[in-house]
């Protein structure tokens, strides 16, 4: 809460840190000395009852005003909200208004995020370039800053670490190598999170929950890595914001293995930093170039992730085609899964045309035939 807002409105402001059914946990802004003096002057001037002293509780369990429900105002984790009618003894209140959002993500559903902390492991499970690239593209598509941390760096040699670093620098990223187990560079990662709302993401089993435990001294459940699949079990069930010791908040998100490629095909290339670098100094011959086999394309070439781009482009085109087909009920094509993550479009069969006639219908037809002959 800023002193200016508090002095001007006298409202209780806070941040939604968790959503549970129809209830919202709101972390109220703390007052500094200047804000406290302005509040007390306003209370004396307007003859309002003072807030409790010693300091009121920072966490309230709130409901949403009916007015917000009627106008369709959704309340998300990360929202800045105005709280009314606080019940200090019971730790409850009511959300009266939602302040304008600076940013908004739909998966996960969270507002006012400043950056994404992408966590992968360099070993156990091994680092998979294709999977990492897919997560990076999804993170880039949000338009937020992306911070890449590689955990379990104690399991590889300094030479291997340098090779991974050089490779990712070619992608356009400067990773932070850390080890939660041996407490290596966790303080360096913490500096980037100060006074920001950060979403932490990445595949299961890479140490996200352990890293959060270290950064906020929390007690999240941590699942062991499955020996068969070299993947971790999903241990996060819901979105929640955790307060950091040096200011800012960190959001853990439910684990997922492969983010959807739900961007437009023509936008995809801009989510590759190495491709953006090429487009910054030259342009393709065609404005709608998809950088596959078009002539005079400045992007197509010998950069490492170009093959990833082509695969993601096929996914993005297939998704767009599917959306168009769903929007067109007269479509004669359908998307059919072929296994192993592959799919292709096939002609639709005409409804009921090739369906076997039931015995009951056959018997009825025979009875009609006999009656006609008689």
């Amino acid at each position: 809460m800023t002193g200016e807002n508090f002095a001007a409105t006298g409202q209780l402001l806070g941040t939604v840190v968790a959503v549970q059914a129809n209830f919202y946990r709101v972390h109220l802004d703390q007052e500094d000395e200047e804000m406290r003096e302005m509040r007390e002057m306003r209370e004396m001037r307007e003859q309002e009852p003072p807030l409790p002293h010693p300091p009121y509780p920072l966490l309230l369990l709130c409901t949403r005003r009916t007015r917000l429900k009627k106008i369709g105002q959704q309340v998300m984790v990360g929202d800045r909200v105005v709280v009314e009618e606080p019940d200090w003894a019971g730790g409850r209140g009511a959300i009266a208004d939602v302040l304008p959002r600076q940013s908004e993500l739909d998966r996960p559903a969270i507002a006012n995020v400043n950056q994404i902390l992408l966590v992968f492991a360099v070993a156990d499970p091994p680092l998979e370039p294709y999977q990492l690239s897919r997560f990076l593209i999804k993170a880039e598509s949000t338009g937020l800053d992306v911070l890449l941390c590689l955990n379990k760096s104690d399991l590889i040699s300094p030479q291997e670490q340098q090779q991974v670093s050089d490779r990712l620098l070619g992608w356009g990223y400067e990773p932070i190598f850390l080890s939660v187990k041996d407490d290596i560079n966790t303080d360096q990662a913490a500096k980037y999170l100060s006074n920001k709302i950060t979403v932490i993401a990445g595949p299961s089993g890479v140490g996200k929950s352990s890293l959060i435990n270290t950064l906020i001294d929390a007690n999240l459940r941590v699942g062991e890595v499955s020996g068969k699949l070299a993947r971790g079990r999903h241990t996060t069930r819901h979105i929640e914001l955790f307060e950091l010791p040096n200011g800012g908040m960190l959001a853990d998100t439910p684990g997922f293995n492969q983010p959807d490629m739900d961007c437009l095909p023509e936008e995809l290339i801009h989510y590759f930093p190495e491709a953006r670098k090429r487009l910054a100094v030259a342009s393709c011959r065609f404005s709608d170039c998809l950088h596959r086999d078009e002539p005079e394309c400045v992007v197509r070439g010998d950069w490492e992730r170009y093959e990833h781009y082509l695969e993601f482009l096929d996914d993005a085109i297939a998704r767009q085609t599917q959306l168009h087909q769903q929007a067109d009920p007269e479509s004669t094509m359908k998307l059919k899964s072929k296994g192993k993550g592959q799919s292709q479009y096939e002609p639709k069969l005409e409804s009921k045309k090739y369906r076997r006639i039931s015995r009951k219908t056959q018997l009825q037809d025979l009875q009609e035939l006999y009656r006609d002959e008689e």
Side-chain angles (χ1 to χ4, degrees):
M1 179 192 305
T2 65
E4 181 182 357
N5 288 340
F6 189 89
T9 65
Q11 296 173 323
L12 279 175
L13 301 182
T15 301
V16 178
V17 296
V19 177
Q20 300 168 325
N22 293 323
F23 294 91
Y24 308 87
R25 278 201 290 151
V26 178
H27 186 280
L28 299 179
D29 295 341
Q30 301 185 50
E31 291 182 320
D32 56 25
E33 188 65 24
E34 180 183 359
M35 291 162 55
R36 183 183 63 81
E37 292 178 357
M38 286 190 292
R39 173 177 58 80
E40 291 176 349
M41 290 176 60
R42 183 185 56 80
E43 290 171 348
M44 292 177 59
R45 183 175 65 252
E46 300 180 7
Q47 297 182 347
E48 291 185 356
L51 289 173
H53 188 79
Y56 48 81
L58 291 178
L59 273 176
L60 293 181
L61 185 63
C62 298
T63 57
R64 179 178 55 163
R65 289 290 194 201
T66 305
R67 178 183 64 83
L68 297 181
K69 185 176 182 180
K70 286 182 177 179
I71 65 175
Q73 176 63 65
Q74 182 187 13
V75 180
M76 302 169 60
V77 173
D79 269 332
R80 298 282 296 155
V81 296
V82 177
V83 177
E84 291 182 344
E85 298 184 7
D87 173 13
W88 303 114
R92 294 179 177 271
I95 295 176
D97 201 4
V98 178
L99 302 186
R101 294 168 180 155
Q102 303 301 315
S103 63
E104 180 179 341
L105 302 180
D106 56 349
R107 294 184 62 188
I110 187 169
N112 298 317
V113 178
N114 303 112
Q115 63 183 359
I116 294 179
L117 172 61
L118 196 56
V119 181
F120 265 70
V122 290
D124 191 31
L127 185 64
E128 299 176 2
Y130 180 85
Q131 186 187 44
L132 173 58
S133 187
R134 197 174 186 96
F135 270 88
L136 286 169
I137 296 306
K138 182 64 176 180
E140 290 279 356
S141 70
T142 65
L144 303 173
D145 293 335
V146 181
L147 177 63
L148 177 59
C149 285
L150 299 180
N151 190 25
K152 305 184 183 181
S153 60
D154 57 296
L155 300 180
I156 62 174
S157 66
Q159 293 78 13
E160 292 174 312
Q161 190 175 128
Q162 187 61 50
Q163 291 174 359
V164 174
S165 178
D166 292 342
R167 184 177 189 180
L168 293 179
L169 282 174
W171 291 15
Y173 299 96
E174 188 172 356
I176 299 175
F177 290 88
L178 54 84
S179 171
V180 176
K181 177 184 175 183
D182 294 344
D183 194 23
I184 298 174
N185 288 338
T186 53
D187 55 342
Q188 181 183 354
K191 292 179 181 177
Y192 287 93
L193 311 183
S194 180
N195 297 318
K196 295 180 179 179
I197 294 183
T198 305
V199 165
I200 185 170
S204 300
V206 299
K208 297 193 302 294
S209 296
S210 299
L211 178 59
I212 295 176
N213 287 343
T214 301
L215 293 172
I216 65 174
D217 194 23
N219 238 343
L220 299 182
R221 297 182 298 110
V222 179
E224 295 180 357
V225 174
S226 167
K228 278 187 178 181
L229 300 177
R231 296 182 184 274
R233 303 183 183 93
H234 294 182
T235 56
T236 305
R237 301 302 181 208
H238 61 277
I239 305 169
E240 185 172 358
L241 280 174
F242 299 95
E243 189 176 11
L244 297 170
N246 297 325
M249 291 185 170
L250 184 63
D252 192 14
T253 58
F256 55 93
N257 289 325
Q258 288 289 356
D260 294 332
M261 201 57 58
D262 55 359
C263 61
L264 295 175
E266 58 269 23
E267 294 177 350
L268 177 63
I269 195 64
H270 300 287
Y271 304 145
F272 288 82
E274 57 269 59
R276 290 201 302 263
K277 188 176 180 181
R278 292 177 176 228
L279 290 171
V281 296
S283 58
C284 298
R285 176 181 175 182
F286 300 105
S287 59
D288 59 348
C289 183
L290 289 180
H291 319 291
R292 291 183 294 188
D293 50 10
E294 298 88 343
E296 299 181 36
C297 173
V298 299
V299 171
R300 188 177 66 250
D302 57 350
W303 47 289
E304 181 185 356
R305 290 204 295 168
Y306 181 62
E307 292 300 321
H308 292 176
Y309 166 74
L310 293 178
E311 291 189 42
F312 298 158
L313 181 62
D314 288 340
D315 291 346
I317 292 174
R319 178 178 172 80
Q320 286 300 114
T321 305
Q322 181 182 12
L323 292 176
H324 289 313
Q325 300 295 342
Q326 291 174 348
D328 180 12
E330 301 299 324
S331 170
T332 59
M333 302 293 289
K334 67 177 180 179
L335 184 66
K336 187 172 182 180
S337 175
K338 308 299 288 185
K340 297 183 179 180
Q342 297 181 351
S343 58
Q344 69 181 40
Y345 282 91
E346 295 182 354
K348 284 184 180 179
L349 297 179
E350 291 185 21
S351 178
K352 298 184 179 180
K353 182 175 179 180
Y354 300 96
R355 188 173 294 177
R356 178 181 297 175
I357 300 175
S358 68
R359 291 183 179 180
K360 182 179 179 180
T361 302
Q362 291 177 2
L363 180 60
Q364 290 173 345
D365 291 343
L366 284 173
Q367 290 173 346
E368 288 290 336
L369 181 61
Y370 292 150
R371 279 196 294 266
D372 291 342
E373 289 180 351
E374 292 175 355

